[in-house]
Amino acid sequence: RIDGRNLDALRPVKLTVGFNRFAEGSVLIEMGNTMVLCNASVEERVPPHVTSGGWITAEYSMLPRANRERSKRDVSKLKLSPRSAEIQRLIGRSLRGAADLEALGERTITVDCDVLQGDGGTRTASVTGGFVALALACRGLLEQGLVKAMPIRHYVAGISAGIVDNVAMLDLQYSEDSRAMVDLNCVMNEQGGIIELQGTGEGRAFTPREQQELVALCAQGNARLIELEKNILGEIL
C-alpha cells in the first residue's frame, strides 16, 4: 500500500472530544487525512412522525475545500445533493441502531457531521465519530437527571474495505478508493452484529466469498474502533 500499511490495518485514528464547547456532544475524528467534526445537539421535541419515545437523526455535509477541488455548498444549489442525502440517512439509521429511543424520552438528538478534509471513508468516519458525540450527549442527559437510564444500548462503529487490483484491503484512503474494483461500507455493534452493509461492484462484480472476506476485514477494523470508543467513553452499557 502507498502508506506502507498492512492489508488489514487501519489508518492512524484520533478522537478529540469536546472540540465544540457549545454542543451537548462533540468529537473531531481523524482517520489518516480524513477529518470529520461531529456535533450532537439535544432538542426537547420530536418530529411529527414520532408517536412514542424520542428520535435520533443526522446531517452530513462537506466543506467546499474538503477535497482536492472546491465543491459548491448545497445551499448554493438550493437542495441537498443526492450523495449527502444518502449518507446522512445511513448515519441516522446507524446511530438509531445504537440507542433505546424509548429511554431517550420525548426529545430529538441531531448529529451534524461536517467533513473538514476528505481522503476516503468520510461516511464511516462520520458514523464512528457521530456515535461518540451521541453517547456524550446521552451521558449529559443522564448526569442531569433528564433520563432515568442511559439511552445507549450498543457501541457502534463504521469502516470501509475494498478490492484494489484484485487485493482485499481495509480502510481505503482516496488513492485506493478511486481505483477500487469493489467498495464496501460496514457498520457494526460491539457484538459483531451488522447494522448497515453497502457493497458495490464499481469495476467488476464480486463473489459471495469476496464479500465475506471484506466483511471479515471490516469486523476486525470495527472491533478496533470500538475499543478506542470504550477507552474514551468507558463502559457505558
Side-chain angles (χ1 to χ4, degrees):
R1 304 181 75 166
I2 292 174
D3 56 5
R5 280 184 291 147
N6 292 333
L7 297 177
D8 64 350
L10 295 173
R11 289 174 288 179
V13 183
K14 182 179 180 183
L15 293 160
T16 305
V17 301
F19 194 84
N20 182 321
R21 65 181 296 180
F22 301 114
E24 283 80 4
S26 180
V27 178
L28 175 69
I29 180 168
E30 300 173 65
M31 298 195 66
N33 290 321
T34 287
M35 302 170 63
V36 185
L37 177 58
C38 304
N39 290 314
S41 302
V42 179
E43 297 175 279
E44 296 296 320
R45 62 179 181 82
V46 294
H49 73 272
V50 176
T51 58
S52 178
W55 188 245
I56 295 169
T57 188
E59 294 191 10
Y60 169 97
S61 66
M62 301 187 77
L63 294 185
R65 275 317 301 262
N67 283 322
R68 286 145 187 81
E69 295 181 359
R70 186 184 187 276
S71 60
K72 289 186 177 180
R73 297 180 191 269
D74 285 336
V75 67
S76 71
K77 297 176 284 187
L78 301 181
K79 65 177 182 179
L80 191 64
S81 74
R83 179 179 181 273
S84 294
E86 182 257 327
I87 291 175
Q88 67 185 36
R89 285 195 294 267
L90 177 148
I91 299 167
R93 288 192 301 266
S94 300
L95 298 181
R96 288 192 293 274
D100 181 343
L101 296 177
E102 289 295 330
L104 182 60
E106 293 186 5
R107 53 180 56 87
T108 298
I109 300 180
T110 302
V111 180
D112 291 295
C113 301
D114 292 291
V115 180
L116 309 185
Q117 188 167 276
D119 190 37
T122 61
R123 73 184 66 196
T124 49
S126 296
V127 169
T128 303
F131 167 76
V132 177
L134 171 66
L136 291 170
C138 288
R139 176 182 284 170
L141 292 173
L142 184 64
E143 291 173 346
Q144 295 171 62
L146 297 175
V147 295
K148 295 180 179 179
M150 186 64 167
I152 300 296
R153 297 183 302 174
H154 296 287
Y155 292 89
V156 167
I159 198 66
S160 68
I163 297 176
V164 181
D165 297 331
N166 292 310
V167 177
M169 54 185 68
L170 181 67
D171 191 17
L172 306 185
Q173 60 191 45
Y174 177 78
S175 61
E176 296 165 335
D177 187 47
S178 61
R179 298 184 295 114
M181 299 170 172
V182 178
D183 184 32
L184 185 140
N185 300 295
C186 184
V187 178
M188 291 179 162
N189 61 28
E190 82 286 355
Q191 298 171 341
I194 296 173
I195 297 172
E196 189 87 23
L197 188 65
Q198 296 182 331
T200 306
E202 297 183 348
R204 64 166 174 82
F206 57 103
T207 67
R209 179 173 293 182
E210 287 174 325
Q211 180 185 1
Q212 291 174 356
E213 183 180 6
L214 293 173
V215 171
L217 280 173
C218 288
Q220 294 178 42
N222 280 327
R224 294 174 201 147
L225 291 172
I226 287 171
E227 284 303 312
L228 291 175
E229 293 175 347
K230 289 181 177 180
N231 288 341
I232 290 172
L233 298 169
E235 296 293 338
I236 60 173
L237 305 183

